[in-house]
Amino acid sequence: MTNTNTKAIIDEDLHSLVFNEALKSRVRNRVMQHSESEVFPVLLRRVAACFAILMLCGTTAYAGYYIFSAIAVNDEVLPALDEMEVVEVNSLNVKADEYGVIKIAFNDYDDVSRILGINLLNADLSDNNTCMSGNITTNNKDYLMINVDNYIPGDSSPISLSVDIILSEEQKQNGWETDYLGLYKFAGNYISEQGYRVNLVEDTADGNEAENYISEKCAVFVADGIRYTLRGRVSTEEMKNIVDSMN
């Protein structure tokens, strides 16, 4: 069996996995706490990260996992982005679960800025969007993640948004890497109109796609120490236009 076939089988099997909330919280906390610890070996970190995929990214195995600030595609490290920095936010006055993780839902991205007491970049195309849904996940100490589904409505595919925020010096020292596994490839990098360094990643076709198939694109950049990831089935130019509209 070839490596390609093996990878495809793993991707398919992981896609079908479902985890309960307790396991999600436990794995999330372990992954974030032990980013580069010598007692948390690389292989174990990656196994744990694979189990963390659904809760951190909300999509399939090859959509990426978060572990320790570099971006990689199938272990190929991509050009460096601007540095992630420690950001001070309002603590969420919500009871954490037994693993110390807090998760709250929202339907208005503007509310998130008010809740956290910080300015977050926003795209003009997301204004007056009643279909948006998202959640904030944090331990109120080291990390905070914002995931927004239907951030920008689309004719054929909506755009989703993920925001990663470092809350502590310890987490900054550990780093926060993202690796896109399996059916993804590096699609280039550029400087946005605002001056952000942007990496573009896209999925690879399996040969069975329709004639008008549009690959999923991911645009990743750091602004004011915060990492943003836009994801959707749009053209590269449209994705760049959305990035350039973030202000």
Side-chain angles (χ1 to χ4, degrees):
M1 181 178 295
T2 66
N3 291 338
T4 300
N5 289 339
T6 301
K7 184 180 296 182
I9 292 172
I10 293 173
D11 285 343
E12 182 177 355
D13 288 344
L14 283 175
H15 180 63
S16 66
L17 291 177
V18 177
F19 308 110
N20 60 39
E21 288 302 319
L23 179 58
K24 289 180 183 179
S25 294
R26 185 175 181 181
V27 173
R28 179 190 296 114
N29 220 28
R30 294 291 291 177
V31 170
M32 296 306 298
Q33 285 178 351
H34 301 285
S35 293
E36 291 187 340
S37 171
E38 292 181 0
V39 300
F40 203 59
V42 170
L43 179 59
L44 182 56
R45 288 205 304 271
R46 293 196 170 187
V47 171
C50 286
F51 281 100
I53 289 165
L54 294 185
M55 64 184 169
L56 297 181
C57 304
T59 183
T60 59
Y62 50 81
Y65 62 75
Y66 296 80
I67 311 183
F68 1 89
S69 359
I71 307 294
V73 174
N74 294 317
D75 290 332
E76 175 190 356
V77 178
L78 304 190
L81 301 176
D82 297 306
E83 287 290 328
M84 295 183 72
E85 302 291 347
V86 176
V87 177
E88 184 176 348
V89 304
N90 296 334
S91 294
L92 300 182
N93 189 23
V94 179
K95 184 178 179 180
D97 64 18
E98 60 182 307
Y99 305 107
V101 177
I102 293 171
K103 189 170 184 177
I104 62 174
F106 62 85
N107 294 306
D108 188 338
Y109 182 68
D110 290 334
D111 288 342
V112 179
S113 291
R114 291 190 287 268
I115 292 171
L116 300 180
I118 59 174
N119 292 322
L120 293 170
L121 296 186
N122 198 2
D124 296 337
L125 291 174
S126 71
D127 291 345
N128 303 314
N129 178 8
T130 59
C131 299
M132 183 185 301
S133 65
N135 59 74
I136 303 171
T137 304
T138 181
N139 65 354
N140 258 348
K141 182 181 67 172
D142 299 307
Y143 67 90
L144 186 146
M145 298 179 291
I146 304 165
N147 293 299
V148 189
D149 293 327
N150 297 313
Y151 173 64
I152 296 175
D155 295 334
S156 58
S157 173
I159 303 295
S160 66
L161 171 68
S162 299
V163 183
D164 303 320
I165 302 176
I166 293 177
L167 303 182
S168 69
E169 286 292 342
E170 181 179 5
Q171 185 63 56
K172 181 181 177 182
Q173 291 301 315
N174 287 342
W176 193 344
E177 288 189 357
T178 304
D179 201 342
Y180 294 83
L181 297 176
L183 306 180
Y184 268 89
K185 66 178 181 180
F186 176 51
N189 64 317
Y190 74 101
I191 304 298
S192 72
E193 289 186 357
Q194 308 95 317
Y196 308 135
R197 287 184 278 184
V198 184
N199 282 337
L200 297 172
V201 178
E202 69 176 325
D203 69 3
T204 55
D206 60 7
N208 297 316
E209 68 280 358
E211 184 177 349
N212 58 348
Y213 176 80
I214 300 176
S215 64
E216 181 176 88
K217 311 292 192 309
C218 298
V220 189
F221 64 96
V222 175
D224 302 318
I226 298 172
R227 185 168 62 201
Y228 297 81
T229 303
L230 292 158
R231 186 193 309 272
R233 294 190 179 279
V234 296
S235 68
T236 298
E237 286 306 310
E238 184 173 354
M239 182 63 78
K240 289 182 177 181
N241 289 337
I242 294 172
V243 172
D244 289 340
S245 74
M246 300 284 284
N247 53 58

